[in-house]
């Protein structure tokens, strides 16, 4: 399958590496809003201007949209879904129904196949929640994130006056994970489940106490959580916090038996050195499914819930049964 | 959906409880080879003779086959697949291709839909291996089982002269699980990954040393493993080892990035108080998918790899996206 990557930030770079790990995938090129000659891609990867993407319509089987969910994808996915099969990683939960409907309408108009909200959450974690709920109808769900870098929270800190740069780690509280697994606690507050660790570089002469206060009281992002703020130099931030690790776990604790006297624990976890590289790999596997669904005439918008697992693998059905069943 | 249960051992009882936990499922009845008036089912569950099952052809949407893989399912599944949509839990790995082909031919002749090898391994663990391999093309897989009761190993001990009853627990070696997660060991021998704990009740005057020796040297089952043998009274065996707990984990350790310098850890685990009750729940969720696939005209034999996740849930696609994505 021939893939295009639209958008070349962290996720776009992850997707580029991901395509090269998949023997049945070929990278037509990267489409960027920057000037192509200023973009440093991996050797051998063609780079094109974003506005030229429609000239490559016939050469691309599936387009991987690697833009952000805040402003890029709500516009780009509906715009491109009429002319390209595509996969995006739209993750603004409350707006998924609206996004789905727009992309679905565009893809149907063009006879194309789209899949939105791919990645690991939404994505693999969503699948774990669905499977767990289907096989354990009576029970409780928990999702923990981290230890990992949250881009949204890091950006929120960067917008505070006096801040040069920042990195925020979301950290699950071990006691909460154990309580979820052991069934000790029916429901857990945000403060009980996650801590927030902030590493912040500030301008010379900045008021550190005021910045700390602005962080820990910030509504939606930090208020209601136990938040630690550590001031470091800009050099140290670059040196020690350059990576984008992430991960987390989905837990469902269910009851079984005629009197529901027994327990089942269903748990799925990821631990990722690089969030964008792993997310890129998930997008490529989903692109394989989109390509096959399109060839079978399954047009319109889909999610991971609609993808038969076999369609994610390059192996034949017979080989899958032999090796993985 | 209207379900029938064919076979009423541990798994059949688990399936009976499972049907009652699913609001959209109704139990037509249990079909048993024993005399129906000697079977103690849950109050309200009709019990029929196995040979009468064909009289209920029109009333049953999907039949759950709850027989054993050694002798029952190789005969029953191909026999019944022509007249019923069905789900089985066939788990003799080496014979899955042959079983699949036979069931597929029968189901196609009858215009029916079958799914074989449902449950958790094969089943949910197979799915974890497929998803993990699809999103992490470069890496290593590990499956650990237990701590849990292996019926096959317990039966093997019971066949030794002088043994009254026995229970064998398969126990994963914690160091091996950690090595798999941390990437310290590229491959692990059976002895390194699992221990075997046996609890054995013997006849009066039996030669315990000879029985211990017969167990630990038994080819295929115990030779090559670290096996502990504890002799207990028949009463204590019934009292302390009556349950059928099981579980395990699937781990894939993958490499990501342009130079594969980063790592991703994918892990799925189950911890079950009752193996047959949980397996019964998985069979009911799969029956839901089989019922829908049949209504859509998708005939023949399938496995978990062919089931779109959404088909396992009673919720609508829109509701699934809202609640689980």
């Amino acid at each position: 399958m021939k893939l295009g990557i639209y958008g070349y930030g962290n996720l776009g770079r992850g997707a580029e590496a991901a395509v090269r790990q998949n023997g049945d995938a070929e990278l037509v090129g990267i489409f960027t809003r920057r000037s192509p000659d200023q973009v440093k891609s991996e050797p051998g990867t063609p780079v094109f201007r974003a506005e030229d993407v429609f000239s490559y319509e016939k050469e691309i089987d599936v387009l991987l949209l690697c833009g952000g969910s805040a402003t890029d994808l709500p516009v780009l996915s509906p715009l491109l879904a009429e002319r390209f099969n595509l996969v995006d990683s739209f993750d603004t939960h409350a707006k998924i129904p609206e996004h789905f409907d727009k992309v679905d309408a565009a893809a149907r108009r063009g006879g194309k196949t789209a899949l939105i909200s791919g990645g690991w959450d939404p994505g693999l974690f969503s699948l774990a929640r669905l499977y767990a709920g289907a096989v354990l109808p009576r029970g409780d769900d928990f999702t923990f994130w981290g230890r990992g870098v949250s881009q949204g929270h890091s950006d929120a800190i960067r917008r505070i006056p006096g801040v040069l740069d920042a990195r925020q780690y979301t950290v699950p509280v071990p006691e909460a994970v154990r309580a979820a697994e052991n069934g000790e606690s029916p429901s857990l507050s945000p403060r009980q489940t996650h801590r927030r660790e902030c590493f912040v570089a500030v301008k010379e002469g900045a008021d550190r106490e005021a910045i700390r206060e602005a962080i820990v009281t910030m509504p939606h992002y930090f208020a209601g959580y136990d938040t630690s703020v550590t001031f470091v130099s800009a050099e140290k931030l670059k040196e020690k916090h350059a990576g984008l690790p992430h991960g987390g776990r989905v837990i469902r604790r269910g009851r079984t038996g005629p009197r529901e006297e027994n327990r089942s624990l269903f748990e799925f976890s990821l631990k990722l050195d690089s969030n964008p590289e792993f997310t890129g790999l998930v997008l490529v596997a989903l692109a394989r499914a989109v390509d096959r669904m399109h060839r079978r005439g399954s047009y319109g918008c889909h999610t991971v819930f609609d993808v038969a697992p076999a369609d994610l693998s390059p192996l034949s059905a017979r080989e899958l049964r032999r090796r993985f069943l």
Side-chain angles (χ1 to χ4, degrees), chain A residues 82-213:
Chain A
E82 192 171 338
R83 308 265 296 266
F84 293 93
N85 298 319
L86 63 82
V87 176
D88 81 16
S89 61
F90 186 76
D91 67 358
T92 310
H93 188 86
K95 294 185 178 165
I96 286 176
E98 184 191 333
H99 189 63
F100 183 93
D101 290 339
K102 281 187 189 167
V103 174
D104 191 51
R108 284 179 193 280
R109 272 198 308 275
K112 298 292 180 187
T113 305
L115 187 145
I116 62 158
S117 302
W120 61 273
D121 197 0
L124 299 182
F125 273 23
S126 319
L127 282 172
R129 289 186 286 260
L130 189 159
Y131 279 117
V135 301
L136 291 170
R138 307 287 171 85
D140 302 291
D141 268 344
F142 303 85
T143 301
F144 293 92
W145 295 273
R147 190 176 192 259
V149 173
S150 161
Q151 290 287 126
H153 288 78
S154 301
D155 289 344
I157 300 173
R158 283 189 203 103
R159 287 192 292 264
I160 297 171
V163 170
L164 277 175
D165 199 3
R167 196 53 63 105
Q168 195 265 193
Y169 295 89
T170 304
V171 185
V173 176
E175 293 74 24
V177 176
R178 274 198 294 278
E181 290 174 341
N182 298 337
E184 288 153 15
S185 189
S187 69
L188 296 158
S189 71
R191 186 189 297 275
Q192 285 173 308
T193 54
H194 294 89
R195 288 188 299 111
R196 303 200 173 277
E197 290 178 7
C198 312
F199 295 85
V200 185
V202 297
K203 290 178 187 152
E204 231 185 285
D207 181 344
R208 294 181 173 206
E209 246 344 281
I211 288 171
R212 183 194 303 273
E213 192 62 21

Side-chain angles (χ1 to χ4, degrees), chain A residues 149 242-247 270-278:
Chain A
V149 173
L244 291 168
H246 219 315
L270 291 170
K271 198 175 163 187
L272 314 169
D273 282 352
S274 168
N275 181 357
E277 286 168 9
F278 183 76

Side-chain angles (χ1 to χ4, degrees), chain A residues 293-308:
Chain A
M293 292 164 90
H294 183 255
R295 287 172 202 276
R296 289 198 297 262
S298 179
Y299 305 145
C301 189
H302 302 83
T303 74
V304 287
F305 299 154
D306 308 309
V307 175

Side-chain angles (χ1 to χ4, degrees), chain A residues 11 20 23 28 56-57 100 173 175 194 221 227 234 243 245 253 267 271-272 298 314:
Chain A
L11 179 55
R20 286 165 181 250
V28 174
Y56 294 86
E57 211 178 324
F100 183 93
V173 176
E175 293 74 24
H194 294 89
Y221 287 89
T227 303
R253 205 171 63 198
E267 191 162 345
K271 198 175 163 187
L272 314 169
S298 179

Side-chain angles (χ1 to χ4, degrees), chain A residues 1 3-6 11 15 60-67 73 76-77 80-81 84-90 99 103 113-119 122-123 279-293 300-304 307 312:
Chain A
M1 55 179 172
L3 305 179
I5 293 173
Y6 191 103
L11 179 55
I60 293 171
D61 292 320
V62 186
L63 194 59
L64 308 178
L65 293 200
C66 296
L73 298 177
L76 286 175
S77 298
L80 294 168
F84 293 93
N85 298 319
L86 63 82
V87 176
D88 81 16
S89 61
F90 186 76
H99 189 63
V103 174
T113 305
L115 187 145
I116 62 158
S117 302
T279 302
L281 281 161
V282 178
L283 296 189
V284 171
L286 291 170
R288 182 178 291 120
V290 163
D291 186 40
R292 292 184 188 170
M293 292 164 90
C301 189
H302 302 83
T303 74
V304 287
V307 175
L312 297 170

